[in-house]
């Protein structure tokens, strides 16, 4: 069984680095791969579509399992304002006899946000959305983004930690000729970038502390990356990563090895996108009530007030964080629950 906290840390580390059919060829092999990499990650991407596939597999040990997540849709920058996007999300986790899956989505029209849960659209309260906007504006101000690329905005500099770079020629990526650059990560430098990213994210990072990434330096055995940049415009078109980890000697038993694989594809880059608010919505409070979540705790999470790093359903007013097993049982129950009575039974599992 993969621990939810470990999954959250892994997703934050690698997904933010990305929040972020090919055929072989021989052209483009004479350009310096490090210069190509520098141009690619400093070139702004204002709009387009993307799809991100993310997979974690734990093998051996006491808690083997798999976790898969897919995220994608159109997005469009709005200058200094909060960006627009309309993203579909799906997750699936399997561990022993347990299987959890779900779909949803999130939409931003720059001034409002909406969450899709089990086919119903919910409008995010303006106060909660404004806290998201405030965090985003603070991040921009802190990094003086200007016309930087996405990863530079987040304080990530792949040029500083990708080594053994090779120009592998050109390939076609979603109809665009792209230069394929392969390389490996200098793990200590990579960890420093992740720590800087977490510090910039502030309360949005929940309870993931920068120093926790120091443990990754001892567990990451290899990290291979492939970057595909437009042959003509040096704009990122695809990013692939494959990491192999082993548990530290201080925490044996959960699994013998852990593999993390992701692929990010970008299309219609810097082309205008049309993003609209859902036609019919319910207030977010209806969803929170349905899931037995205290809205005040949801707000506290944005201010870094929760040690658990996020809002969980209330269990009789207790402030004790539920165990990892209780959270997994709750998630499994929630994926099958129908009606308010069954949802309440699921929430009670967090009190066990």
């Amino acid at each position: 069984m993969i621990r939810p906290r470990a999954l959250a840390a892994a997703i934050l580390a690698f997904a933010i680095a990305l929040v972020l059919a090919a055929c072989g060829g021989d052209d483009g092999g004479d350009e310096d791969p490090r210069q190509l990499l520098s141009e690619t990650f400093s070139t702004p991407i204002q709009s387009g579509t993307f799809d991100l596939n993310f997979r974690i597999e734990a093998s051996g040990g006491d808690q083997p399992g798999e976790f898969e997540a897919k995220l994608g849709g159109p997005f469009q920058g709005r200058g200094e304002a909060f960006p627009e996007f309309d993203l579909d999300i799906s997750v699936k986790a399997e561990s022993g006899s347990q299987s959890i899956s779900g779909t949803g989505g999130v939409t931003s029209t720059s001034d409002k946000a909406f969450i899709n849960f089990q086919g119903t659209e919910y409008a995010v309260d303006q106060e909660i959305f404004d806290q998201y906007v405030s965090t985003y504006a603070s991040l921009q101000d802190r990094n003086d983004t200007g016309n930087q690329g996405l990863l530079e905005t987040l304080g990530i500099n792949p040029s500083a930690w990708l080594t053994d770079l090779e120009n592998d020629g050109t390939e076609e990526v979603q109809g665009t000729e792209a230069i394929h650059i392969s390389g490996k990560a200098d793990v200590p430098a990579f960890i420093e970038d992740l720590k800087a990213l977490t510090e910039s994210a502030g309360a949005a990072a929940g309870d993931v502390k920068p120093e926790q990434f120091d443990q990754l330096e001892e567990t990451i055995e290899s990290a291979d990356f492939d970057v595909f940049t437009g042959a003509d415009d040096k704009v990122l078109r695809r990013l692939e990563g494959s990491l192999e980890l082993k548990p530290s000697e201080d925490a044996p038993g959960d699994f013998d090895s852990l593999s993390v694989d992701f692929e990010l594809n970008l299309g219609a880059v810097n082309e205008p996108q049309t993003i609209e608010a859902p036609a019919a919505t319910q207030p977010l409070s209806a969803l929170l009530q349905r899931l037995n979540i205290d809205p005040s705790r949801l707000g506290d999470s944005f201010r870094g007030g929760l040690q658990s790093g996020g809002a969980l359903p209330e269990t009789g007013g207790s402030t004790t964080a539920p165990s990892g097993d209780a959270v997994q049982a709750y998630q499994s129950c929630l994926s099958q629950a129908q009606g308010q009575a069954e949802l309440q039974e699921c929430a009670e599992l967090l009190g066990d």
Side-chain angles (χ1 to χ4, degrees):
M1 180 172 61
I2 304 175
R3 296 183 183 277
R5 187 177 297 273
L7 284 176
I11 291 172
L12 174 70
F14 302 113
I16 292 182
L18 306 176
V19 209
L20 322 119
C23 57
D26 297 323
D27 297 331
D30 57 348
E31 295 190 61
D32 178 20
R34 185 160 297 282
Q35 178 62 29
L36 288 170
L37 200 67
S38 177
E39 291 183 49
T40 298
F41 288 112
S42 62
T43 300
I45 299 178
Q46 303 294 344
S47 61
T49 64
F50 81 93
D51 63 83
L52 170 65
N53 299 314
F54 186 87
R55 184 172 183 269
I56 299 176
E57 181 176 3
S59 304
D62 299 330
Q63 301 185 37
E66 297 181 3
F67 174 85
E68 294 184 43
K70 296 184 178 182
L71 171 69
F75 64 94
Q76 184 161 258
R78 302 286 296 175
E80 296 182 356
F82 196 74
E84 298 177 332
F85 48 80
D86 186 6
L87 309 181
D88 294 322
I89 305 168
S90 67
V91 296
K92 180 175 69 174
E94 295 183 359
S95 178
S97 61
Q98 291 188 336
S99 178
I100 302 172
S101 63
T103 60
V106 58
T107 301
S108 164
T109 59
S110 186
D111 58 347
K112 295 183 181 299
F114 308 86
I115 293 175
N116 182 293
F117 181 76
Q118 294 183 346
T120 301
E121 297 283 355
Y122 298 90
V124 176
D125 295 349
Q126 196 63 41
E127 180 181 357
I128 295 175
F129 178 71
D130 287 345
Q131 293 181 53
Y132 266 118
V133 174
S134 177
T135 300
Y136 175 80
S138 175
L139 183 63
Q140 284 194 313
D141 292 341
R142 189 177 305 172
N143 291 293
D144 189 23
T145 59
N147 288 320
Q148 293 178 344
L150 174 61
L151 296 188
E152 282 189 326
T153 297
L154 296 174
I156 295 177
N157 180 17
S159 300
W161 45 259
L162 280 180
T163 63
D164 299 331
L165 296 176
E166 293 186 9
N167 184 332
D168 296 324
T170 60
E171 302 180 17
E172 186 175 325
V173 177
Q174 296 189 340
T176 299
E177 185 179 38
I179 302 174
H180 179 190
I181 306 162
S182 61
K184 299 180 181 296
D186 177 338
V187 175
F190 179 49
I191 296 301
E192 288 303 311
D193 252 11
L194 294 181
K195 291 167 67 175
L197 170 62
T198 307
E199 291 174 342
S200 295
D207 66 343
V208 179
K209 301 296 187 287
E211 56 269 20
Q212 290 178 307
F213 288 115
D214 289 333
Q215 301 173 12
L216 285 176
E217 188 171 337
E218 301 177 1
T219 61
I220 296 179
E221 290 203 324
S222 64
D224 299 325
F225 290 85
D226 293 271
V227 179
F228 297 80
T229 183
D232 294 330
D233 56 17
K234 307 303 182 287
V235 172
L236 181 66
R237 290 309 199 284
R238 176 179 291 164
L239 177 63
E240 299 175 352
S242 178
L243 299 95
E244 296 292 333
L245 303 89
K246 285 192 177 295
S248 64
E249 295 180 356
D250 297 332
D254 286 352
F255 52 84
D256 293 336
S257 64
L258 184 73
S259 64
V260 180
D261 297 284
F262 64 84
E263 178 178 301
L264 171 70
N265 289 290
L266 291 162
V269 176
N270 290 332
E271 296 180 10
Q273 303 295 315
T274 300
I275 299 170
E276 299 178 347
T281 65
Q282 296 184 22
L284 182 63
S285 57
L287 175 61
L288 300 182
Q289 182 179 11
R290 177 181 173 186
L291 300 179
N292 201 27
I293 296 176
D294 183 350
S296 66
R297 294 189 69 188
L298 186 65
D300 285 344
S301 68
F302 292 101
R303 293 185 289 273
L306 289 180
Q307 293 301 315
S308 63
L312 290 171
E314 294 287 344
T315 55
S318 171
T319 58
T320 302
S323 67
D325 289 342
V327 172
Q328 269 208 334
Y330 166 74
Q331 293 174 329
S332 179
C333 177
L334 187 63
S335 68
Q336 305 174 50
Q338 296 182 355
Q340 179 63 33
E342 292 186 8
L343 288 168
Q344 180 59 40
E345 292 177 1
C346 294
E348 292 173 355
L349 294 172
L350 294 175
D352 294 342

